[in-house]
Amino acid sequence: MGFLAAGLGAGIIALGAGFGIGIIGKSATESIARQPEAAGDIRGAMLLTAVFIEGVALIGAIVCILLALGVGQ
Amino acid sequence: MSQFLRRLTVTILFLFAINPGILAADTQESDGGSFDVMGKVVDHDYVEIVGVKIYLPRILLVDGEWYFYSNTKSAIESGQFMETEEGGLVRSDGAEISLDMSITSHLVYVWLAIIFTLLITMWAAGRYRRGLGAETEPKGAMQNIFEVLFVFIRDEIAKEFISPEKYKRYVPYLFSVFMAIMFMNLFGLLPWAASATADLTVTATLAGITFFITQFSGTKDYWQHVFVFPGVPAWSRIILTPVEILGLFTKPFALAIRLFANMLSGKIMIVSILGLIFIFTDLFGAYVGVGSSVFWVALTAALYFLKALVALIQAYVFTLLSAVFIGMAAEEHHHHDDETAVAHAQAVEVETNH
């Protein structure tokens, strides 16, 4: 059961994080296209937001690793 | 000359990418079928250099008594300690170790990273003090790389996210934490070494330092925003204040987990992809395993370049977020003052236009 939960969890995490980072990338490229002179600032903001999503996704990933390794059973 | 160096670097990089495959094959043979993925990641009581294991001293505290041994083996041979089934140590009379201050492989790599950072910064500081780079242009590849990194940390991270008046105090911390994490991450690329940042205790310590610096540089406004959030109805503070206090601790927690999970996942990914060779050998026979290994090793080589990139990006991200958190705490809010200042400036502008 632990393996099943870890596999499903990892998939859902990838889905969520991919969706989130995809939205960030979309709006960042759109903003850069609209305002190329602000590309530097936009890139910084993009990275910062992506990092926050990554952090949440990685906490989920750690839970999945713990499930797969059977920690706490 | 530089072309020769470039070729040498690329060759060495490829050799590094192939070496873990050989190592994995060795382990596979000696263990007789089982291969421990986590064994490549967790802490050990030895440092491996080019396949030679150097055992590290054990410092143990049992029931208020200190024991010093040059390595685990001598601790067992002395008769005072015996090995448990899980590989840990207990005293011969069964007493558990109350405090294990042993020097481990990850600690050695943390020290190495600190020494490298110290040496490079001191070397560069000496050059700038002599006027090389301060009055003239920076000379040599090393100093140029150093200057690029330092100016990047100072201008793009510290100045940008901490207020322009206060950022100078935090540049030394941000730069040294960046260099140390970068070295620790890059050590993980060496075939026998380990990245110390793939250990939660190391990243938690680093995040803890950021946490304390953040709290000690907190202004009155910062603490006011934590405990008594201004401008909201009084009853909503019942929810808001606990959330804000919790937020103080989740920030460094996420900082530690992020670095740890990134470095750990890179390592596990490489071992897992190399492990596919053996899975294929088990499923379809040795020929398919050997044949497909060309593909897996090539994929591992690509992953190594990705890991080198991730090592730099994660060092950058840690520094960036540290700067953001410190900047949030050190910031001084002047909501009302700002508005009046803007209104005043506009009034002056209108007057001068007339």
Side-chain angles (χ1 to χ4, degrees), chain B residues 213-347:
Chain B
I213 290 179
T214 311
Q215 305 320 319
F216 282 119
S217 56
T219 55
K220 217 173 110 194
D221 293 307
Y222 172 70
W223 292 111
Q224 198 194 359
H225 274 253
V226 170
F227 290 111
V228 193
F229 205 89
V232 293
W235 54 266
S236 70
R237 285 189 188 133
I238 301 166
I239 309 166
L240 214 53
T241 308
V243 169
E244 286 281 340
I245 290 170
L246 207 64
L248 292 182
F249 298 101
T250 52
K251 277 180 217 157
F253 179 72
L255 201 61
I257 292 284
R258 177 176 301 113
L259 184 58
F260 161 66
N262 266 298
M263 299 325 290
L264 188 76
S265 64
K267 211 132 213 208
I268 290 176
M269 215 147 73
I270 282 176
V271 178
S272 303
I273 284 176
L274 286 172
L276 281 173
I277 299 171
F278 307 115
I279 291 172
F280 270 53
T281 312
D282 264 6
L283 285 176
F284 308 113
Y287 291 110
V288 180
V290 171
S292 67
S293 69
V294 176
F295 181 66
W296 303 130
V297 170
L299 200 62
T300 313
L303 267 177
Y304 251 81
F305 288 109
L306 190 74
K307 256 193 90 177
L309 206 67
V310 166
L312 285 175
I313 290 175
Q314 286 308 316
Y316 164 65
V317 162
F318 191 97
T319 319
L320 176 80
L321 285 178
S322 294
V324 169
F325 295 153
I326 293 168
M328 265 152 69
E331 192 181 18
E332 280 179 39
H333 299 271
H334 293 295
H335 297 297
H336 307 291
D337 295 1
D338 279 351
E339 276 163 32
T340 46
V342 169
H344 182 72
Q346 278 169 347

